[in-house]
Amino acid sequence: LVSDEISGLHFQGGYFYSGSGQNSTNQDGELSTVYGETDFNNAEYAGFDYSFTDDLGIGLHAAKYSDVWNQYYADLYHTFSFSDDVSLSSSLNYYNTQDTGRSEAGSINNNTYSAAFALAVGAQTFTLAHQRVNGNTPFDYVNVDGADGNSIWLANSVQISDFNAPGEKSYQARYDLDMSTFGVPGLSFMARYITGSGVNGTNADVDGDYAGSYGRGGDEWERDLEVKYVIQEGAAKDLSFRVRQATWRANNSPDSGFYGSNGANALDEVRIITEYPLDIL
């Protein structure tokens, strides 16, 4: 259910009992959580986004995963323009997650938030962000048929890592450059670096699905580099090509157990992404 009857107000609500992951075409994929791998039968949600002006907006949403958790989300977005070429954008995101019903994943009491501030100066944008997870479990979200989805709005949830381990504090520095100002419309560059530390999952519910997944003292970092080009005219107008390289590292000492029995502490990845919008109607 989606409604835009009131100017500036976007309301939506829904009920899910199955789905399809991004690597599958079936429509009966099972629902579960990403990090706890807890299966659940259905999810329901409702919420709204409201724009006071073009530069100021808020959102409030609530969701329930049957017998796993109730989750509440709030956000605030604002842009302040100093001049035609200089502006400061801020975004605040907050999640509260509490176990519910039969508490199939165990005891959960998690508060996670992020704050990002982006200064745009002509063709350049400089962004700083902070994210923090308060709780004995990671900040978790929905998994459909074994394929993680882009279902969270946190500043430091990036290509490889979500920086969402229990107790984790993370910081990001990002730089964007739009080459249209320099006579190359459609070409842009992005570089970002995120570092996280303070992971402590030793106090998770011993009978829950997160027990033993994280130790104490875990830390990680990720660096992403991207170049993107969007075709400006012709039959292929708006067709975009993006190449992104990511490097991720985490400590894996016996005391940290950053990813538990997984043991992974180093990943290098290159993604080539092509997007072409189709205006059917």
Side-chain angles (χ1 to χ4, degrees):
L1 175 66
V2 176
S3 174
D4 294 297
E5 295 299 319
I6 301 175
S7 178
L9 179 67
H10 176 76
F11 172 84
Q12 57 180 312
Y15 177 87
F16 288 87
Y17 55 86
S18 65
S20 61
Q22 63 260 40
N23 58 353
S24 175
T25 58
N26 68 306
Q27 300 297 312
D28 58 353
E30 295 182 352
L31 304 177
S32 64
T33 61
V34 174
Y35 290 87
E37 299 181 346
T38 307
D39 294 330
F40 58 93
N41 293 325
N42 56 72
E44 52 194 272
Y45 77 99
F48 70 88
D49 298 284
Y50 183 74
S51 299
F52 296 97
T53 67
D54 291 340
D55 298 324
L56 176 63
I58 63 170
L60 293 173
H61 299 264
K64 180 178 181 179
Y65 294 7
S66 59
D67 290 315
V68 179
W69 67 53
N70 292 326
Q71 192 169 81
Y72 308 94
Y73 170 72
D75 61 45
L76 171 67
Y77 296 90
H78 180 254
T79 300
F80 180 81
S81 297
F82 297 95
S83 66
D84 291 341
D85 295 325
V86 181
S87 64
L88 177 65
S89 298
S90 58
S91 62
L92 305 176
N93 303 273
Y94 171 77
Y95 286 92
N96 174 267
T97 308
Q98 305 283 338
D99 61 278
T100 187
R102 293 196 297 267
S103 302
E104 299 286 0
S107 176
I108 300 173
N109 181 7
N110 187 290
N111 291 280
T112 298
Y113 69 85
S114 70
F117 301 90
L119 178 65
V121 182
Q124 304 178 89
T125 302
F126 306 87
T127 303
L128 294 176
H130 172 57
Q131 182 172 304
R132 180 170 296 194
V133 181
N134 296 312
N136 299 322
T137 61
F139 172 76
D140 209 347
Y141 53 96
V142 68
N143 188 7
V144 180
D145 208 20
D148 302 353
N150 296 324
S151 57
I152 60 175
W153 296 93
L154 290 171
N156 291 348
S157 176
V158 288
Q159 177 162 321
I160 293 178
S161 179
D162 288 319
F163 290 87
N164 62 332
E168 185 168 14
K169 307 174 187 66
S170 58
Y171 302 86
Q172 175 183 171
R174 171 172 171 160
Y175 175 74
D176 291 84
L177 177 63
D178 183 356
M179 291 297 292
S180 59
T181 304
F182 302 97
V184 189
L187 182 64
S188 61
F189 298 93
M190 181 275 289
R192 64 188 172 199
Y193 178 82
I194 309 96
T195 179
S197 61
V199 175
N200 182 9
T202 59
N203 296 317
D205 184 352
V206 294
D207 296 319
D209 289 344
Y210 303 102
S213 296
Y214 297 85
R216 183 191 301 271
D219 58 67
E220 59 177 328
W221 63 265
E222 179 172 338
R223 181 187 64 240
D224 300 332
L225 304 172
E226 178 183 283
V227 58
K228 179 181 179 180
Y229 181 70
V230 181
I231 296 177
Q232 301 294 293
E233 57 185 5
K237 186 177 185 296
D238 295 329
L239 172 66
S240 67
F241 302 93
R242 185 183 320 192
V243 179
R244 186 189 299 159
Q245 189 275 336
T247 299
W248 173 82
R249 297 291 185 270
N251 70 338
N252 198 32
S253 67
D255 293 332
S256 71
F258 193 80
Y259 274 116
S261 59
N262 186 319
N265 67 337
L267 290 172
D268 296 283
E269 184 178 80
V270 175
R271 296 186 184 184
I272 300 175
I273 305 166
T274 302
E275 295 176 299
Y276 186 51
L278 298 175
D279 189 2
I280 299 175
L281 300 177

